[in-house]
Amino acid sequence: DQQVKQNSPSLSVQEGRISILNCDYTNSMFDYFLWYKKYPAEGPTFLISISSIKDKNEDGRFTVFLNKSAKHLSLHIVPSQPGDSAVYFCAASEKTSYDKVIFGPGTSLSVIP
Amino acid sequence: NAGVMQNPRHLVRRRGQEARLRCSPMKGHSHVYWYRQLPEEGLKFMVYLQKENIIDESGMPKERFSAEFPKEGPSILRIQQVVRGDSAAYFCASSPGKGASYGYTFGSGTRLTVV
């Protein structure tokens, strides 16, 4: 069973426009959410996170929105740049004794110049 | 990904051989996590270790796979008698404390190919 879902395997956006990547989760015990970015042949790198006590967190061009009632979060990138082309993983953790992080399957973003 | 060192970057093994994947966490990090990425799939949790202890191995296949994080030296993910289905990218991450809020730093991964 997939606890973190990213239903769009891929997304193409024009440079300068907004990229919106979506993520849904099923486990209501998740209380911390993260986005990671991954280039080919490299490991994932941390992008931005949000705690369940917030509904928005912003860092430069990146904003994450959390809708707990809908069990949905989204990552907004504005303006999108060609260097943003990568696979984006949504991830979540549950407040257990060790806060294991569960990743979604990823969305491949292509930003077209 | 500077700081978390994984080696080798690429590993080719014949069916039935053993694969040993190494992970040196960032300095000061005592928590290590192993993830596997199968082709066209996301990252699947395998095991969480602290120094000399396995905390959670719920994602590890029941047979042939083992992991350790000794007091001295890197963490090792060991796969015995590899099969073609073990071909994947294996990523190690480390953190300075327990929990996602500390942030995981990932290595560049080891790409295992079983022929």
Side-chain angles (χ1 to χ4, degrees):
Chain A
D1 67 339
Q2 202 169 51
Q3 298 186 68
V4 180
K5 303 177 183 182
Q6 295 176 257
N7 293 322
S8 297
S10 61
L11 176 68
S12 289
V13 172
Q14 286 289 132
E15 180 179 3
R17 298 285 184 97
I18 184 171
S19 296
I20 300 176
L21 294 92
N22 293 303
C23 176
D24 297 288
Y25 60 95
T26 58
N27 187 343
S28 58
M29 298 301 291
F30 284 151
D31 69 339
Y32 197 79
F33 304 89
L34 313 94
W35 285 92
Y36 279 81
K37 175 180 177 179
K38 185 182 180 303
Y39 292 116
E42 294 184 12
T45 54
F46 171 75
L47 198 55
I48 192 169
S49 63
I50 187 167
S51 165
S52 60
I53 62 173
K54 295 186 175 182
D55 55 18
K56 177 183 174 181
N57 188 27
E58 192 172 352
D59 184 2
R61 297 185 296 113
F62 303 91
T63 303
V64 56
F65 296 92
L66 175 62
N67 182 335
K68 282 184 293 183
S69 61
K71 294 193 179 69
H72 176 84
L73 62 156
S74 60
L75 174 68
H76 292 211
I77 307 172
V78 57
S80 301
Q81 300 173 354
D84 296 330
S85 298
V87 177
Y88 289 78
F89 291 101
C90 173
S93 74
E94 178 182 343
K95 196 66 177 178
T96 65
S97 60
Y98 47 81
D99 296 353
K100 181 170 66 180
V101 175
I102 306 296
F103 284 81
T107 295
S108 178
L109 172 67
S110 296
V111 180
I112 304 163
Chain B
N1 296 318
V4 178
M5 304 303 294
Q6 287 189 251
N7 67 81
R9 286 295 303 270
H10 301 275
L11 182 61
V12 179
R13 283 288 176 265
R14 295 185 184 279
R15 281 179 294 171
Q17 290 185 320
E18 178 179 287
R20 282 189 177 232
L21 289 64
R22 294 174 188 78
C23 170
S24 296
M26 282 189 70
K27 188 176 181 180
H29 288 194
S30 59
H31 302 254
V32 167
Y33 313 83
W34 285 93
Y35 284 80
R36 175 165 68 171
Q37 185 179 23
L38 294 168
E40 308 302 323
E41 293 189 19
L43 295 157
K44 301 293 185 186
F45 169 82
M46 299 183 75
V47 62
Y48 164 39
L49 310 103
Q50 293 181 33
K51 279 288 186 180
E52 300 185 272
N53 291 304
I54 297 174
I55 307 301
D56 178 11
E57 56 182 347
S58 60
M60 291 274 272
K62 295 287 183 266
E63 297 177 350
R64 302 188 297 108
F65 285 71
S66 62
E68 63 177 10
F69 189 15
K71 186 176 180 181
E72 301 291 337
S75 175
I76 305 287
L77 179 67
R78 182 183 179 204
I79 311 171
Q80 295 178 292
Q81 299 171 10
V82 295
V83 300
R84 288 225 169 101
D86 297 332
S87 295
Y90 292 82
F91 292 96
C92 164
S94 71
S95 67
K98 180 185 69 177
S101 60
Y102 280 93
Y104 287 11
T105 301
F106 278 87
S108 296
T110 293
R111 277 143 192 88
L112 173 65
T113 302
V114 179
V115 297

